[in-house]
């Protein structure tokens, strides 16, 4: 599973919209969409925030598999 797929899976498991996640990270919904579709990759600070928000580790979030 790619980083984008994990973000999508974790977000939807928590009944969050892309807008909800973007608001929590102080980012745009378009950025979240691009992350989930692998058009771009979040910066490390956002990956750390995502891991904290989703209750996982950075390693679990970024490692494929």
């Amino acid at each position: 599973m790619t980083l984008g797929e994990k973000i999508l899976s974790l977000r939807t498991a928590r009944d969050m919209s892309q807008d909800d996640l973007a608001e929590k990270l102080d980012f745009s919904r378009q950025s979240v969409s691009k992350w989930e579709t692998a058009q771009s990759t979040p910066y490390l600070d956002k990956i750390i925030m995502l891991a904290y928000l989703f209750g996982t580790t950075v390693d679990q979030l970024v490692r494929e598999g």
Side-chain angles (χ1 to χ4, degrees), residues 3 7 27 31 34-35 38-44 46-47 62:
L3 173 60
I7 293 170
F27 236 62
S31 293
K34 286 181 180 181
W35 299 341
Q39 294 176 8
S40 70
T41 303
Y43 290 116
L44 181 57
K46 296 299 181 192
I47 292 173
V62 298

mmCIF file of all heavy atoms in Angstrom, residues 3 7 27 31 34-35 38-44 46-47 62:
data_model
loop_
_atom_site.group_PDB
_atom_site.id
_atom_site.type_symbol
_atom_site.label_atom_id
_atom_site.label_comp_id
_atom_site.label_asym_id
_atom_site.label_seq_id
_atom_site.Cartn_x
_atom_site.Cartn_y
_atom_site.Cartn_z
ATOM 1 N N LEU A 3 1.811 5.430 0.311
ATOM 2 C CA LEU A 3 1.509 6.476 1.289
ATOM 3 C C LEU A 3 0.140 7.087 1.012
ATOM 4 O O LEU A 3 -0.679 7.260 1.922
ATOM 5 C CB LEU A 3 2.596 7.560 1.264
ATOM 6 C CG LEU A 3 2.344 8.798 2.116
ATOM 7 C CD1 LEU A 3 2.189 8.431 3.588
ATOM 8 C CD2 LEU A 3 3.456 9.806 1.915
ATOM 9 N N ILE A 7 -3.089 7.174 3.514
ATOM 10 C CA ILE A 7 -3.746 8.416 3.946
ATOM 11 C C ILE A 7 -5.247 8.315 3.668
ATOM 12 O O ILE A 7 -6.066 8.610 4.540
ATOM 13 C CB ILE A 7 -3.136 9.648 3.259
ATOM 14 C CG1 ILE A 7 -1.691 9.869 3.721
ATOM 15 C CG2 ILE A 7 -3.982 10.899 3.536
ATOM 16 C CD1 ILE A 7 -0.926 10.918 2.929
ATOM 17 N N PHE A 27 -3.792 22.967 5.607
ATOM 18 C CA PHE A 27 -3.376 22.786 4.231
ATOM 19 C C PHE A 27 -4.611 22.846 3.352
ATOM 20 O O PHE A 27 -5.731 22.946 3.850
ATOM 21 C CB PHE A 27 -2.687 21.419 4.080
ATOM 22 C CG PHE A 27 -1.303 21.499 3.523
ATOM 23 C CD1 PHE A 27 -0.301 22.180 4.187
ATOM 24 C CD2 PHE A 27 -0.990 20.885 2.318
ATOM 25 C CE1 PHE A 27 0.978 22.240 3.680
ATOM 26 C CE2 PHE A 27 0.288 20.942 1.793
ATOM 27 C CZ PHE A 27 1.275 21.615 2.475
ATOM 28 N N SER A 31 -4.308 19.725 -1.897
ATOM 29 C CA SER A 31 -3.069 19.052 -1.509
ATOM 30 C C SER A 31 -3.363 17.644 -1.011
ATOM 31 O O SER A 31 -2.666 16.689 -1.382
ATOM 32 C CB SER A 31 -2.334 19.839 -0.431
ATOM 33 O OG SER A 31 -1.859 21.060 -0.942
ATOM 34 N N LYS A 34 -4.083 15.439 -3.903
ATOM 35 C CA LYS A 34 -2.861 15.091 -4.635
ATOM 36 C C LYS A 34 -2.042 14.042 -3.888
ATOM 37 O O LYS A 34 -1.432 13.171 -4.509
ATOM 38 C CB LYS A 34 -2.017 16.333 -4.903
ATOM 39 C CG LYS A 34 -2.605 17.215 -5.985
ATOM 40 C CD LYS A 34 -1.740 18.428 -6.238
ATOM 41 C CE LYS A 34 -2.343 19.301 -7.317
ATOM 42 N NZ LYS A 34 -1.500 20.469 -7.602
ATOM 43 N N TRP A 35 -2.019 14.114 -2.563
ATOM 44 C CA TRP A 35 -1.310 13.098 -1.786
ATOM 45 C C TRP A 35 -1.957 11.736 -2.005
ATOM 46 O O TRP A 35 -1.279 10.741 -2.217
ATOM 47 C CB TRP A 35 -1.335 13.408 -0.299
ATOM 48 C CG TRP A 35 -0.692 14.680 0.109
ATOM 49 C CD1 TRP A 35 0.212 15.423 -0.588
ATOM 50 C CD2 TRP A 35 -0.920 15.381 1.332
ATOM 51 N NE1 TRP A 35 0.565 16.540 0.128
ATOM 52 C CE2 TRP A 35 -0.112 16.538 1.311
ATOM 53 C CE3 TRP A 35 -1.715 15.156 2.439
ATOM 54 C CZ2 TRP A 35 -0.089 17.452 2.365
ATOM 55 C CZ3 TRP A 35 -1.690 16.063 3.479
ATOM 56 C CH2 TRP A 35 -0.878 17.195 3.449
ATOM 57 N N ALA A 38 -1.249 10.210 -5.370
ATOM 58 C CA ALA A 38 0.190 10.110 -5.661
ATOM 59 C C ALA A 38 0.673 11.113 -6.696
ATOM 60 O O ALA A 38 1.646 10.876 -7.390
ATOM 61 C CB ALA A 38 0.555 8.693 -6.062
ATOM 62 N N GLN A 39 -0.015 12.242 -6.787
ATOM 63 C CA GLN A 39 0.439 13.313 -7.672
ATOM 64 C C GLN A 39 1.501 14.163 -6.985
ATOM 65 O O GLN A 39 2.252 14.869 -7.650
ATOM 66 C CB GLN A 39 -0.729 14.187 -8.112
ATOM 67 C CG GLN A 39 -1.722 13.464 -8.979
ATOM 68 C CD GLN A 39 -2.917 14.325 -9.323
ATOM 69 O OE1 GLN A 39 -2.948 15.513 -9.035
ATOM 70 N NE2 GLN A 39 -3.909 13.726 -9.948
ATOM 71 N N SER A 40 1.541 14.089 -5.659
ATOM 72 C CA SER A 40 2.569 14.767 -4.876
ATOM 73 C C SER A 40 2.720 14.034 -3.554
ATOM 74 O O SER A 40 1.916 13.171 -3.214
ATOM 75 C CB SER A 40 2.229 16.241 -4.649
ATOM 76 O OG SER A 40 1.141 16.377 -3.771
ATOM 77 N N THR A 41 3.761 14.386 -2.814
ATOM 78 C CA THR A 41 4.042 13.769 -1.524
ATOM 79 C C THR A 41 4.117 14.865 -0.471
ATOM 80 O O THR A 41 4.737 15.906 -0.716
ATOM 81 C CB THR A 41 5.393 13.018 -1.571
ATOM 82 O OG1 THR A 41 5.337 12.060 -2.627
ATOM 83 C CG2 THR A 41 5.680 12.306 -0.271
ATOM 84 N N PRO A 42 3.489 14.651 0.679
ATOM 85 C CA PRO A 42 3.553 15.678 1.722
ATOM 86 C C PRO A 42 4.983 15.840 2.252
ATOM 87 O O PRO A 42 5.765 14.894 2.254
ATOM 88 C CB PRO A 42 2.623 15.156 2.815
ATOM 89 C CG PRO A 42 2.403 13.718 2.521
ATOM 90 C CD PRO A 42 2.696 13.493 1.089
ATOM 91 N N TYR A 43 5.295 17.053 2.679
ATOM 92 C CA TYR A 43 6.580 17.313 3.313
ATOM 93 C C TYR A 43 6.644 16.554 4.635
ATOM 94 O O TYR A 43 5.624 16.187 5.221
ATOM 95 C CB TYR A 43 6.768 18.808 3.565
ATOM 96 C CG TYR A 43 6.981 19.614 2.314
ATOM 97 C CD1 TYR A 43 6.054 20.578 1.922
ATOM 98 C CD2 TYR A 43 8.099 19.414 1.507
ATOM 99 C CE1 TYR A 43 6.239 21.323 0.765
ATOM 100 C CE2 TYR A 43 8.296 20.155 0.356
ATOM 101 C CZ TYR A 43 7.369 21.103 -0.018
ATOM 102 O OH TYR A 43 7.553 21.842 -1.159
ATOM 103 N N LEU A 44 7.866 16.354 5.113
ATOM 104 C CA LEU A 44 8.085 15.576 6.324
ATOM 105 C C LEU A 44 7.277 16.102 7.511
ATOM 106 O O LEU A 44 6.707 15.314 8.265
ATOM 107 C CB LEU A 44 9.574 15.539 6.680
ATOM 108 C CG LEU A 44 9.940 14.728 7.920
ATOM 109 C CD1 LEU A 44 9.475 13.288 7.807
ATOM 110 C CD2 LEU A 44 11.431 14.796 8.159
ATOM 111 N N LYS A 46 4.412 17.472 7.538
ATOM 112 C CA LYS A 46 3.013 17.047 7.379
ATOM 113 C C LYS A 46 2.879 15.540 7.605
ATOM 114 O O LYS A 46 1.882 15.082 8.164
ATOM 115 C CB LYS A 46 2.480 17.422 5.995
ATOM 116 C CG LYS A 46 2.418 18.912 5.750
ATOM 117 C CD LYS A 46 1.510 19.617 6.727
ATOM 118 C CE LYS A 46 1.459 21.106 6.418
ATOM 119 N NZ LYS A 46 0.843 21.883 7.471
ATOM 120 N N ILE A 47 3.884 14.769 7.195
ATOM 121 C CA ILE A 47 3.863 13.318 7.440
ATOM 122 C C ILE A 47 3.871 13.048 8.939
ATOM 123 O O ILE A 47 3.128 12.200 9.436
ATOM 124 C CB ILE A 47 5.038 12.620 6.731
ATOM 125 C CG1 ILE A 47 4.844 12.690 5.210
ATOM 126 C CG2 ILE A 47 5.167 11.174 7.188
ATOM 127 C CD1 ILE A 47 6.010 12.176 4.400
ATOM 128 N N VAL A 62 4.845 5.577 6.010
ATOM 129 C CA VAL A 62 5.581 5.746 4.755
ATOM 130 C C VAL A 62 6.101 4.454 4.143
ATOM 131 O O VAL A 62 6.403 4.423 2.954
ATOM 132 C CB VAL A 62 6.761 6.744 4.909
ATOM 133 C CG1 VAL A 62 6.258 8.108 5.290
ATOM 134 C CG2 VAL A 62 7.802 6.257 5.880
#
